[in-house]
RNA sequence: GUGCCCGUAGCUCAACUGGAUAGAGCAACGGCCUUCUAAGCCGUAGGUUACAGGUUCGAUUCCUGUCGGGUGCGCCA
């Protein structure tokens, strides 16, 4: 149980004892140090409901409040706030427990079968910056859910099906016959462009391409083999990006759109049997009264085109059903661009209505905004083209290398190279993760790679400072008692003790920026502690205790950064 | 036209979902290195939370309207 939950329970009980059994305690970390460590705000509302004086009720609550061994001081302030100052011994005890726990003392909820669907690029083309946010945010969420103990399945719902694959496969056959296939496939973007040119210019080629779509759908072995070859090459490109980014996606996570092909007619017939499907203008559609079109009528969701083809709504419905019936998932998180919000609302609504997912299955669209350039417009190259993801990552690493070489030229070339990888990739990820995902965000090389401010390099640097202390500390007693005396120690301890709260919150809200904000506060507070409280120059028990604080700080920073997919370094 | 999201310091962003005097970081200005990495720390300045109402003990947060921006709205994904 987190401190906040513990306090909440106790205040709740006190409120009940004071005559307000149904009033919420509303316990939060205090806004300012002079208001204590935590504050309970529930009294004002409760007093209102009971039509009594809030100060008097606060007094009654405090008299009933049992915080023995937890708080050293409880005050009533303002109109009826209850300010709680935690006892240093209590905090020290919490930290001591975290030190001896691999999971840093976080509470383990009942494990749940959860899926995070993320990245999901279209295999027809090379990955570009548009795939970055889903890939990074989804990976962080998957890591956090795994850390709290859930059974996490990662799903890369790649686009490996659709009409453009006929064209690509036809072009693949052509380049293979001329012996250039391997060369051409090395640059997928170019491959797609050339195939498109052939399609537009050559009627015979276009016919072949269309014919291949039909053969592909019909399961023609030869065309299927070509398709598989293309998909494999494209996936290898993706894997290169994932490896470079340090994202935990592998081939086992891939389950593309094509995997649901056989089930699509069944989805249609089941919807029809359920009385949900109607024919309209030649297409098979479901009208959902929950969503109105501009005319105020139920909005249509197309399940099958008039030419018999299926759409991604159909595939997504099949996927929901598979995830329930076969995988038995209790929660599915879709990390997808905010622009698809309406689609997901419709998908979730229809899935439940059609019985493809039970009412208590949690389906959530974890939406995110667009990545913008410094001009506030979608991020593009100078010439206006899309930026390839590999190139973006390489540039980040190059920029980091230049910075590290400038700051610390004494380090060996190899060392600087590996620092540059961690710093460059970390900077890109952190810049994204540290912002509220729902809004658009502005991509800026200089701010994300700055060594000061709320950036990955600052956090990585803070970590190396702690590591440096331990390099010089020699032997220290890992079982030493931890106690809190100085204000800087108290503030650091308080933050360390709130790690579990942040993790729990990120796991439920899927908002990694909360973890970023927390780690930044922690790093900053550690630096204050580092300035105010000499560690190695201290003696005896004080030295041991401060080393314990430093050790827990290091582990918390490392764990937190790794949950964001960011590597830590011993020196930089 | 209509649905959704958004508008907070010069800039980039927070504000634990209704709590106290709206906080950080850049940038600006001023301090602190013979002492654990100064890639750091301390301080100063910077605000009518787009605007106008409403709800209540209390609003950046909830409701209504206005203005401004983004994005979606039946055979792409």
């Amino acid at each position: 149980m987190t401190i906040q939950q513990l306090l909440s329970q106790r205040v709740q009980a006190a409120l009940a004892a004071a005559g307000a059994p149904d009033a919420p305690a509303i316990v939060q970390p205090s806004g300012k140090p002079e208001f204590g460590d935590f504050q309970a705000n529930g009294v004002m509302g409760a007093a209102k409901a009971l039509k009594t004086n809030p100060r008097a009720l606060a007094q009654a609550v405090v008299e009933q409040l049992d915080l023995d061994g937890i708080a050293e001081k409880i005050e009533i302030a303002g109109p009826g706030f209850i300010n709680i100052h935690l006892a240093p011994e209590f905090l020290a005890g919490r930290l001591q427990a975290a030190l001896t726990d691999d999971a840093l003392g976080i509470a383990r909820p009942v494990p749940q079968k959860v899926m995070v669907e993320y990245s999901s690029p279209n295999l027809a083309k090379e990955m570009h910056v548009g795939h970055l946010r889903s890939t990074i945010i989804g990976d962080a969420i998957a890591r956090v859910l795994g850390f709290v103990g859930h059974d996490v399945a990662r799903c890369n719902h790649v686009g490996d099906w659709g009409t453009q694959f006929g064209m690509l496969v036809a072009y693949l056959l052509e380049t293979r016959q001329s012996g250039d296939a391997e060369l051409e496939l090395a640059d997928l973007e170019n491959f797609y462009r050339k195939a498109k040119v052939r399609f537009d210019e050559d009627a015979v080629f276009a016919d072949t391409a269309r014919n291949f779509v039909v053969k592909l759908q019909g399961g023609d072995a030869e065309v299927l083999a070509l398709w598989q070859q293309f998909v494999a090459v494209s996936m290898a490109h993706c894997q290169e990006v994932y490896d470079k980014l340090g994202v935990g996606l592998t081939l086992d996570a891939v389950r593309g759109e094509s995997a649901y092909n056989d089930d699509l007619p069944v989805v249609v017939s089941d919807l029809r049997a359920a009385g949900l499907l109607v024919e309209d203008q030649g297409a098979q559609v479901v009208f959902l009264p929950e969503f109105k079109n501009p005319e105020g009528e139920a909005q249509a969701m197309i399940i099958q085109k008039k030419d018999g083809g299926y759409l991604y709504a159909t595939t997504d419905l099949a996927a929901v059903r598979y995830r329930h019936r076969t995988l038995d998932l209790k929660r599915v998180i879709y990390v997808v661009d905010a622009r698809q919000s309406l689609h997901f609302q419709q998908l979730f609504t229809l899935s439940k209505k059609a019985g493809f997912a039970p009412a208590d299955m949690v389906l959530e669209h974890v939406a995110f905004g667009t990545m913008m350039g410094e001009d506030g417009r979608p991020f593009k190259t100078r010439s206006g083209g899309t930026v390839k993801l590999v190139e973006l990552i390489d540039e980040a690493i190059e920029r980091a290398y230049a910075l590290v070489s400038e700051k610390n030229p004494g380090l060996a070339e190899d060392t600087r190279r590996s620092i540059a990888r961690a710093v460059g990739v970390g900077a890109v990820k952190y810049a994204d993760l540290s912002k509220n995902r729902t809004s658009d965000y502005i991509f800026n090389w200089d701010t994300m790679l700055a060594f000061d401010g709320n950036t990955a390099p600052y956090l990585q640097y803070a970590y190396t400072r702690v590591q440096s202390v331990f390099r010089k500390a020699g032997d220290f007693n890992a079982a030493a008692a931890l106690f809190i005396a100085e204000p800087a120690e108290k503030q650091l301890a308080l933050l360390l003790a709130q790690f579990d709260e942040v993790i729990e919150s990120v796991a439920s809200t899927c908002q990694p920026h909360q973890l970023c904000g927390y780690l930044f506060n922690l790093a900053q507070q550690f630096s204050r502690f580092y300035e105010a409280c000499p560690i190695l120059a201290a003696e005896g028990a004080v030295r041991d205790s401060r080393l314990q604080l430093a050790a827990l700080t290091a582990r918390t920073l490392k764990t937190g950064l790794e949950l964001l997919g960011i590597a830590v370094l011993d020196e930089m």
Side-chain angles (χ1 to χ4, degrees), chain A residues 444-479:
Chain A
N444 182 298
W445 286 117
D446 296 330
T447 7
M448 77 175 68
L449 280 162
F451 291 91
D452 41 22
N454 188 9
T455 66
Y458 173 85
L459 294 176
Q460 288 167 319
Y461 173 68
Y463 181 79
T464 65
R465 289 178 100 186
V466 194
Q467 291 308 92
S468 174
V469 170
F470 283 100
R471 271 199 300 277
K472 298 194 173 167
D475 288 341
F476 88 101
N477 180 6

